[in-house]
Each structure stands twice: as structure tokens, then as C-alpha cells.
């Protein structure tokens, strides 16, 4: 039962990550491989400020959000100069640099040793200790993320970013300052990713750089693509699938490393399969065209 | 002073490998126009194929080499014809191609890991002594690595400049639509480029395996270096990728002199980001395709 | 008829504009003072630099030398979106639209983003709903004007070529811009549609929009334009009242070359 609840919490966390990434990827067409960096920043901010330095949960999470939002501006600047595929490479290297920093800046992040002992958060007087508590917290954040993404993908803001997705020049020709839209989209994504990171840090009570590597970014992007970009529940369905199904393999009675490899093969295969045969994803209705 | 010379020597060994990676990756990018991440998977597969034939099956080295290179070329062609080509024909954007190539990469790397395990392997059959060259210690293998890499770089450059297929490749890299109108069979050129690019990756992989350890994740690291070298040098340009690779190799060594080894990779990625922000077309590159109005 | 906008028409001028691409001179020392009203046609043989001129005026291409002015303000280095906000809007030769969005959404997109008095007003549902109403009304009116109102919910990519051209005009109208730079608004459509587009253009001009358009069809130019500017090999070779310019010897020669 504990195990099932654990999987549910992780599904919630990945849902938050993928829903927030979807605003940039699915709605604005900006493929970013840097999302795990913001996830990591949020986690480490909470781990360092709450775990190592004893500040309250709110300090940790706020710091994470602020740092992540500021860093996301870097992505926006990159998008100014770079076309689609170069932009993806740019975000890819952004993710690698952050990962490197987390691994090597020993004095601050304790590098590969990680930061243990992140205390349970105290939210409005309630100490979140049990898994059910994290489920509630996670579900609340997810609901907020879904609402925010829905708001920003509707009305005039939504129209502009959907136009940017197809033809940025067209949006500019109607007087839209496309850069400011992109900055907003990246900042929102980064903020929610940081919150997810904070939740993760408190939940697992231990953070280390390997959880926020470029592979994580690839996983989160895959969740968006598989679930269905630019759809309300696509990213959540993707998270349930890509987090849940590999867990099933654990029970197949295979040796650990074999199961891990099979999981990866399955995951890679699903990715290629979806892109080839159902490009709009499971629940989506938008397909990335040239 | 010999530290400096050693660093330069190490830089050249690494740089020559990065140059070959950069050139082959850049060749594929400039014609196919997207970042073919599966390149890393093909690199790994080639190294392990050589391991299988040479170390496990005890086939002669030449034969092993040929088989591994062929295997890589075939994998490259399969990726193009079974995945990328259908996607392109459907009008999928670079985002879809990128994600598909990521999927292919993950599958390849995991198959290798499944088949051979995660433990490091070694392709060479024994240790070899070092030789002193201008005060730097260098193994005969490393000399072979440098020479072979450089020779392959030169061969590719000559082929692209002077052969018919090379000219066709350049035409496609410059302007796909125009070259199609001029009668170039673009699909065939791209398939050939994938085959050749993958074959070159295989050569680089085997050379690297002779010099250092093999791991299933080796392809990822090679891919990164190839991307950095290609972007810094300019993806449309072979001399550019060469310079980019050499520069990267030397810069890393100099960085390692002052900073802990772990920061080696971070140096590469920072260079990449700086390059992307300030000069996205690289040192020698053609201006990036901007939206034509 | 509502003019569909509240941005005044502007005095657009360019001075000594030169622009080369890869060594080919697209524009050579071009100086034009556009009138604030009326319809001006820019004609000339292929490669004369007409599209480049529009690109420079709208900020999408930076000239190698020279300057662009709007209402006495220098806009040469301005980003395209800023120039558009000042009331200069343009269409593209390859008829760009947001194909995946509906026709109505395309036109609503073109409407100016309402200026918020407070940053958080974007979050208040009532304000959003009210704004959406206003934008929707402007968009529907623009669509009626362009005779596309029946297609409002259709996916823009499903429109015919001629209908797409009408859509771009509806968008320009809805944007409220006073100066419209149109790149071949009529070329390539069948005669009935050409007439329909010409009618829309004439109506827009009557509403007070200043129109500058590029076209190849001389008959069309004769019917619509008050003034004609002739570009050849990057230079202005003639300018003046339509009938007079079109009768000139050197203009016909430029086309025949």
C-alpha cells in the first residue's frame, strides 16, 4: 500500500512537471530540454535552506521559485537568436551546465553526496509527514498548475502563443511583443517545476544531482509528447503511463539491471512509436508540423 | 614546462577525436537539418559490435573493424529510412524528429546495456608502453588515434569538395529546395550521408575504445562533444568542425589544469551556450537559416 | 461604417534606403514620401525590390543605409512589433495565416491587445470576458467587411487561396492600423475573387486607411490606385498619378526588359 501511494505521489510530481512544461512545448512550440534544471533548483533550494540551514518551508520554496524564474530568462534570451532545433540544443546544454553545477559545486550542493535530512514542511500549521499528506499537497499544486496553464492558453494570450507556435513572424506583424510572451511562458513553467522540486525534496527528504540530470528533462519532455501536447489532461495521462508502467516491470521477477534496461527500451520504443503513429499523443490534438 | 606540452598532447588526442565526431555529426545535421541524437546510440553500438567480434568471437581486427563500421552504417540508414523519412514525408517538424531520435538513442543504449552489462569493457588486448614525444608521454595507440582521426577528417573533406556525391551533399546542405530543382536526388544523398556519418562515428568509437574504457553511456558523451564541436565550428563547415573539435580538446585540457576534472564537461557546455548566444552560426558557419520573408 | 480602429493614419517616409543581399543590391538609395491617405501602388518587374521595400518599412529587414520615418519619428531600428503597434501593418507575399487556428481566432489575434490599467486585471474573469467580447465584436465586424463572416469557425488552413487573402485583409482591418502595406493582395486568384478583394480594398480606403500595395496586374492597379510608384532594379524610376505614370514610355520599357 505504501508502495502504491509512493507511485501516486511520484505521478503527481511528474504531472506537475509535465503540465508546466506543456505551456512552453505544447502551446508555444518551444521544445525545451531544460525543465529538470528548474525542478532541481527548486529541490536544492528547499534542501539547502530547510535541510541544511533550518529555514521554514516557505522560505525554501520561495527561494526556489525566484531563482528558477530568473534562470528561465536565460532560455528566453536563447530563443531570441536560435531557430527551433538550435534552441533545443541550447536548452540541452543549459540543462547539462546546471546538472554539472549541481554535481560539482561541492561547497554549496555537496555534489554527488547529496543533501539528506530535508525536514517535513509545515504548511499553514500542518506538518506534512504522511504520504497521504503529500498526495493532498501534490494534488493541490497540480490543480493550480492546470488552472494556470488553462488560463494562459486561452483568450488573447493563448491566441498569441498558439500563433507563435506556428509562425512567430506573423504574431510580430500584428504588434505582439513575442519575446515577452515567451518570457512569461518559460517563467511560469520554471516556477511550477521549482515547486515540484520542493515537494520532491521534502517528500524524499534527500536530494542528489542524479535526479535532475538531462535524462530527467528528456523523460519530462517525453511525458508531454506521449500524453499529448497542448491538451488539458494529456500531460497527466503521459505521467501516469511513463511513471506507472515501468513500475509494473519491477514485479516481473527480473534481475534489477535487466528490468531497468527493459524499462528504458520500452520507454524509448513508446516514444518512437507515438511520434510515428500517433504524433498528437494519446490525448492531444496538436501535431508539430514544419 | 612539460606539463604544458603534456596538456597540448592530451588536447590533440582528444581534439582529433572530437573533430571527427564534429565533422560526422555536422555532416548529418547540415543535410538532414535536425539534431540526430541517435548518433550517440550508433556510436555505442559500433564500439560494442567491435568488442563482440574482436574480443568475444576472436575475429581478426580488420574484419571486426569492417563489421562494426558496416553495422553502424546500416543502423544509420535504418534510422533514416524507417523513422526519419516517414516523419518528414508527413511534414513533421524538427521537434518530432528530435524526440524520435531521442527515443531511438535510448533504445540503442539500453539494448547494448542489456546485452553487455554496465561494467566497463576494454577493446585492447593488453597494456602498451608510452613513448615520449617532445617531452609528452603518449601511447602508440594514441598516436594511431590522432593519425587515423586526422586522416579521416581529411578524406571526408576531400570527398565533399571533389566527388560528385560530395558536391551533391553540399548542394543539399546549402538549399534543399534548390538542389531538388537542380535534379539532385535529395533522399538518396541523405541516406548516403547517414551511412557515411554513422560509419565515421564507428571509426571514432573504435579508436576511443582502443584508448580508454568502454561503457554503455560512452555514446552520450561522444554525442555531446560532437555537437559542441560541430556548433562551435559551424555545422555547415568541415574545416570549421575540425577547428571546433581541436579547440574543444585543447580548451578542456587547459581548463582541467586549473579546475577539478569534474568541470571538464561543464566547460564544453558553457562554450556551447556562449557560442549559441553570441555566434550561433559558429566560427566558420554559414548564417543560420532565418525565416525568409 | 466603423473604421475598425482608432490609430490615426501616419505619415510614412523613407530616405535614401539601400539594401543588399549577398552582394545583390535590392534597393538603391530609395527615397519616398508616402501620402497620408489614399491608395498607392508599387509596381515593377520581378526582383525590383518591392517586397524588400515593404520589409524595410515594416521593420522586418534592417536597411544597410538610410532611414525610415513615421509621423516624424525615426523608426529605422525599431522591432517589427513596435512599428505594427504604431499603426503600420503588413501582409506577406506567401499569404501567412495561422492555419491551425479558426478564422475568427486569426482575426481576434490581430486585434490590439487591450492596454491594462492594472497588471492583475488580466486575472479577473469579468475583465477578461469583457475584453474578449470587445475583441470578438471587432473581429466579427472585420470579417463581415471582408465578406468572410460565414467562415468564422472554419479552420483557417482549410480556406481557399483567395479566401486566405481576404482573411489577411480582415486581420489588417481588425488591427486598427491606419497604414496597410500589402504584398500582392490580388495576385493568383480567379477573376471573381479578384473583384471581391478589390472591392474590399476600396472600402478600406474609404474608411480612411492608407493603403500601399504591390501588384503585377496593371488593370487592377489602374482601377484601385490613386498614385503609382515604379521600382526597377532597386530604384524609383517613376512616380505620380496612375494614368499618367502608366502611359510613360520608360515604365513600359522597364517591364519589357
Amino acid at each position: 500500500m505504501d508502495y502504491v501511494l509512493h507511485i501516486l505521489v511520484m505521478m503527481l510530481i511528474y504531472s506537475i512537471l509535465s503540465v508546466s512544461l506543456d505551456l512552453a512545448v505544447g502551446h508555444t512550440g518551444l521544445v525545451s530540454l531544460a525543465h529538470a534544471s528548474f525542478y532541481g533548483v527548486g529541490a536544492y533550494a528547499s534542501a539547502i535552506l530547510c535541510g541544511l540551514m533550518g529555514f521554514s518551508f516557505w522560505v525554501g520554496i520561495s527561494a526556489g521559485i525566484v531563482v528558477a524564474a530568473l534562470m528561465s530568462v536565460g532560455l528566453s534570451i536563447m530563443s531570441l537568436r536560435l531557430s527551433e532545433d538550435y534552441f533545443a540544443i541550447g536548452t540541452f546544454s543549459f540543462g547539462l551546465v546546471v546538472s554539472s553545477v549541481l554535481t560539482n559545486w561541492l561547497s554549496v550542493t555537496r555534489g554527488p553526496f547529496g543533501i539528506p535530512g530535508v525536514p517535513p514542511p509545515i504548511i499553514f500549521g500542518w506538518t506534512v509527514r504522511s504520504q497521504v499528506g503529500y498526495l493532498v499537497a501534490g494534488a493541490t499544486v497540480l490543480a493550480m498548475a492546470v488552472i494556470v496553464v488553462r488560463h494562459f492558453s486561452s483568450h488573447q494570450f493563448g491566441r498569441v502563443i498558439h500563433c507563435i507556435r506556428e509562425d512567430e513572424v506573423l504574431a510580430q506583424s500584428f504588434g505582439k511583443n513575442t519575446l515577452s510572451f515567451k518570457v512569461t511562458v518559460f517563467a511560469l513553467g520554471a516556477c511550477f517545476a521549482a515547486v515540484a522540486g520542493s515537494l520532491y525534496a521534502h517528500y524524499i527528504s534527500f536530494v542528489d544531482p542524479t535526479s535532475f540530470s538531462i535524462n530527467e528533462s528528456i523523460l519530462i519532455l517525453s511525458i508531454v509528447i506521449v500524453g499529448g501536447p497542448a491538451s488539458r489532461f494529456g500531460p497527466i495521462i503521459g505521467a501516469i503511463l511513463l511513471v506507472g508502467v515501468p513500475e509494473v516491470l519491477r514485479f516481473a521477477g527480473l534481475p534489477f539491471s535487466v528490468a531497468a534496461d527493459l524499462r528504458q527500451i520500452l520507454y524509448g520504443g513508446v516514444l518512437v512509436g507515438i511520434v510515428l503513429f500517433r504524433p498528437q499523443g494519446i490525448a492531444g490534438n496538436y501535431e508539430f508540423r514544419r | 614546462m612539460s606539463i604544458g606540452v603534456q596538456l597540448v598532447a592530451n588536447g590533440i588526442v582528444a581534439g582529433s577525436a572530437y573533430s571527427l565526431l564534429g565533422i560526422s555529426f555536422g555532416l548529418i545535421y547540415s543535410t538532414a537539418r535536425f539534431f540526430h541524437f541517435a548518433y550517440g546510440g550508433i556510436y555505442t553500438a559500433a564500439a560494442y559490435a567491435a568488442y563482440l567480434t574482436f574480443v568475444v568471437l576472436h575475429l581478426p581486427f580488420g574484419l571486426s573493424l569492417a563489421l562494426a563500421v558496416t553495422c553502424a552504417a546500416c543502423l544509420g540508414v535504418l534510422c533514416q529510412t524507417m523513422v526519419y523519412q516517414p516523419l518528414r514525408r508527413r511534414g513533421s517538424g524538427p521537434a518530432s524528429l528530435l524526440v524520435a531520435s531521442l527515443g531511438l538513442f535510448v533504445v540503442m543504449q539500453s539494448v547494448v546495456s542489456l546485452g553487455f552489462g554496465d561494467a566497463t569493457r576494454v577493446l585492447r588486448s593488453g597494456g602498451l608502453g608510452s613513448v615520449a614525444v617532445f617531452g609528452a608521454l603518449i601511447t602508440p595507440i594514441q598516436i594511431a588515434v590522432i593519425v587515423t582521426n586526422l586522416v579521416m577528417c581529411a578524406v571526408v573533406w576531400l570527398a565533399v569538395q571533389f566527388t560528385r556525391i560530395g558536391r551533391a551533399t553540399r548542394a543539399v546542405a546549402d538549399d534543399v529546395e534548390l538542389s531538388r530543382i537542380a535534379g539532385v536526388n535529395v533522399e538518396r544523398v541523405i541516406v548516403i550521408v547517414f551511412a557515411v556519418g554513422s560509419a565515421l562515428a564507428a571509426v571514432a568509437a573504435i579508436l576511443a575504445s582502443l584508448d580508454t574504457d568502454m561503457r554503455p553511456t560512452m555514446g552520450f558523451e561522444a554525442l555531446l562533444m560532437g555537437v559542441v564541436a560541430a556548433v562551435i565550428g559551424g555545422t555547415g563547415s568541415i574545416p570549421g568542425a575540425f577547428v571546433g573539435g581541436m579547440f574543444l580538446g585543447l580548451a578542456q585540457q587547459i581548463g582541467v589544469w586549473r579546475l577539478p576534472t569534474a568541470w571538464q564537461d561543464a566547460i564544453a557546455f558553457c562554450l556551447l551556450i556562449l557560442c549559441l548566444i553570441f555566434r550561433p552560426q559558429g566560427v566558420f558557419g554559414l548564417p543560420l537559416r532565418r525565416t525568409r520573408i | 461604417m466603423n473604421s475598425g480602429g482608432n490609430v490615426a493614419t501616419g505619415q510614412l517616409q523613407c530616405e535614401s534606403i539601400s539594401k543588399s543581399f549577398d552582394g545583390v543590391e535590392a534597393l538603391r538609395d530609395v527615397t519616398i514620401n508616402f501620402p497620408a491617405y489614399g491608395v498607392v501602388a508599387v509596381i515593377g518587374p520581378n526582383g525590383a525590390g518591392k517586397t524588400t521595400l515593404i520589409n524595410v518599412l515594416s521593420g522586418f529587414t534592417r536597411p544597410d543605409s538610410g532611414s525610415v520615418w513615421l509621423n516624424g519619428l525615426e523608426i529605422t531600428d525599431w522591432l517589427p512589433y513596435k512599428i505594427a503597434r504604431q499603426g503600420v501593418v503588413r501582409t506577406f507575399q506567401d499569404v501567412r495565416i495561422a492555419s491551425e487556428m479558426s478564422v475568427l481566432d486569426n482575426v481576434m489575434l490581430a486585434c490590439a491587445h487591450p492596454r491594462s490599467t492594472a497588471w492583475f486585471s488580466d486575472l479577473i474573469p469579468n475583465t477578461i470576458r469583457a475584453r474578449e467580447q470587445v475583441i470578438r465584436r471587432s473581429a466579427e465586424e472585420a470579417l463581415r467587411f471582408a465578406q468572410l463572416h460565414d467562415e468564422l469557425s472554419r479552420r483557417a488552413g482549410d480556406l481557399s487561396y483567395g479566401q486566405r487573402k481576404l482573411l489577411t485583409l480582415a486581420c489588417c482591418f481588425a488591427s486598427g492600423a491606419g497604414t496597410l502595406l500589402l504584398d500582392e493582395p490580388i495576385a493568383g486568384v480567379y477573376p471573381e475573387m479578384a473583384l471581391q478583394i478589390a472591392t474590399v480594398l476600396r472600402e478600406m480606403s474609404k474608411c480612411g486607411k492608407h493603403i500601399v500595395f504591390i501588384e503585377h496586374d496593371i488593370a487592377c492597379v489602374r482601377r484601385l490606385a490613386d498614385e503609382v510608384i515604379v521600382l526597377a532594379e532597386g530604384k524609383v524610376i517613376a512616380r505620380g498619378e496612375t494614368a499618367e505614370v502608366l502611359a510613360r514610355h520608360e515604365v513600359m520599357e522597364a517591364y519589357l526588359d
Side-chain angles (χ1 to χ4, degrees), chain A residues 25 29 31 33 74 77-78 80-98 100-106 167 169 214-215 218 221-222 225-226 257-272 274-280 287-290, chain B residues 25 29 33-35 37 82-84 86-107 109-111 113-115 117-118 220 223-224 227 230-231 234-236 262-267 269-270 272-273 276-281 288-291 293:
Chain A
V25 172
V31 176
L33 285 164
I77 295 177
M78 271 199 272
L80 262 182
R81 308 260 284 157
L82 305 173
S83 62
E84 286 182 67
D85 32 2
Y86 268 80
F87 176 68
I89 291 302
T91 62
F92 185 66
S93 23
F94 182 95
L96 288 167
V97 169
V98 172
S100 231
V101 166
L102 290 178
T103 313
N104 297 322
W105 199 10
L106 295 168
D167 190 344
V169 162
I214 197 71
N215 290 311
I218 295 176
L221 178 66
S222 312
I225 302 279
V226 167
S257 60
V258 171
D261 290 329
L262 278 180
R263 237 187 10 241
Q264 289 292 93
I265 294 175
L266 187 74
Y267 151 58
V270 164
L271 211 57
V272 177
I274 289 276
V275 174
L276 267 177
F277 302 114
R278 202 181 153 81
Q280 69 271 45
E287 195 185 319
F288 288 100
R289 299 192 143 264
R290 235 200 303 250
Chain B
F25 185 85
Y29 176 79
R33 289 284 174 198
F34 75 99
F35 285 90
F37 272 84
M82 306 244 69
V83 179
Y84 303 144
L87 282 177
R88 240 188 247 281
R89 223 179 276 133
R90 257 226 321 257
S92 298
S96 302
L97 288 164
L98 185 93
V99 172
S101 77
L102 282 173
L104 286 169
F105 171 51
V106 167
V107 170
Q109 186 169 297
S110 309
V111 165
S113 180
L114 194 65
D118 284 330
F220 187 70
L223 172 71
L224 292 180
V227 170
V231 172
T235 43
W263 290 102
Q264 211 169 359
D265 287 342
I267 294 171
F269 312 143
C270 280
L272 180 61
I273 293 190
L276 287 173
I277 293 182
F278 294 110
R279 205 183 155 84
Q281 68 267 43
L288 292 178
R289 56 193 171 103
R290 304 216 113 222
T291 333
I293 302 183

Side-chain angles (χ1 to χ4, degrees), chain C:
Chain C
M1 158 124 322
N2 194 325
S3 76
N6 28 35
V7 182
T9 54
Q11 187 75 39
L12 188 61
Q13 44 185 134
C14 63
E15 220 176 279
S16 305
I17 297 287
S18 294
K19 179 72 190 176
S20 307
F21 294 104
D22 292 333
V24 176
E25 280 187 298
L27 291 173
R28 294 193 278 171
D29 199 33
V30 171
T31 298
I32 303 176
N33 220 315
F34 290 93
Y37 294 95
V39 182
V40 176
V42 176
I43 65 173
N46 276 325
K50 309 189 292 292
T51 299
T52 311
L53 178 64
I54 286 196
N55 286 343
V56 168
L57 290 173
S58 56
F60 283 95
T61 301
R62 192 152 299 168
D64 296 332
S65 63
S67 50
V68 183
W69 301 77
L70 180 65
N71 292 330
L73 198 60
E74 186 174 352
I75 61 170
T76 324
D77 289 326
W78 282 27
L79 287 173
Y81 84 88
K82 262 181 108 177
I83 296 181
R85 280 204 198 157
Q86 289 295 115
V88 176
V89 137
R90 47 100 31 109
T91 60
F92 297 89
Q93 200 172 12
D94 50 358
V95 193
R96 291 181 179 218
I97 53 169
S99 333
E100 296 297 323
M101 288 162 61
S102 71
V103 167
L104 180 64
D105 275 334
N106 264 270
V107 184
M108 285 176 80
L109 168 73
C111 293
H113 212 113
R115 291 261 166 263
S116 328
T117 41
W119 63 268
F120 51 80
S121 59
D122 256 348
L123 301 169
I124 305 172
N126 278 334
T127 323
I128 300 171
R129 224 173 294 142
R131 282 206 212 124
E132 282 283 292
Q133 294 270 41
V134 170
I135 294 176
R136 196 190 165 107
R137 245 177 274 137
S138 300
E140 290 198 15
E141 192 198 306
L143 280 170
R144 243 174 265 127
F145 191 76
Q147 300 168 42
L148 265 185
H149 194 256
D150 297 332
E151 311 284 356
L152 30 103
S153 38
R154 212 153 151 218
R155 180 178 162 269
D158 294 337
L159 291 177
S160 72
Y161 186 65
Q163 287 175 316
R164 287 190 199 198
K165 293 206 163 198
L166 283 173
L167 177 58
T168 62
L169 293 182
C171 290
C172 286
F173 187 75
S175 71
T179 307
L180 307 182
L181 307 174
L182 309 176
D183 202 336
E184 297 191 24
I186 301 189
V189 299
Y190 54 91
E192 292 86 53
M193 181 57 82
L195 233 55
Q196 205 177 335
I197 297 178
T199 313
V200 173
L201 287 177
R202 213 176 295 122
E203 289 301 312
M204 285 207 282
S205 169
K206 284 203 200 128
C207 283
K209 307 277 182 198
H210 169 41
I211 298 180
V212 177
F213 74 102
I214 295 176
E215 257 317 327
H216 288 290
D217 186 334
I218 301 298
C220 187
V221 169
R222 225 184 269 276
R223 252 178 308 161
L224 282 171
D226 303 317
E227 240 192 280
V228 169
I229 297 174
V230 186
L231 276 183
E233 288 176 3
K235 295 186 83 59
V236 177
I237 62 167
R239 178 181 178 163
E241 195 251 320
T242 313
E244 188 259 309
V245 167
L246 289 178
R248 281 195 222 166
H249 185 61
E250 64 262 31
V251 171
M252 288 197 290
E253 277 207 349
Y255 264 98
L256 291 174
D257 267 340

Side-chain angles (χ1 to χ4, degrees), chain B residues 234-270:
Chain B
T235 43
S237 155
I238 290 183
F242 179 77
V243 168
M246 284 303 193
F247 172 69
L248 182 63
L250 289 164
Q252 273 194 328
Q253 286 304 308
I254 294 172
V256 159
W257 184 29
R258 285 288 176 213
L259 299 164
T261 328
W263 290 102
Q264 211 169 359
D265 287 342
I267 294 171
F269 312 143
C270 280

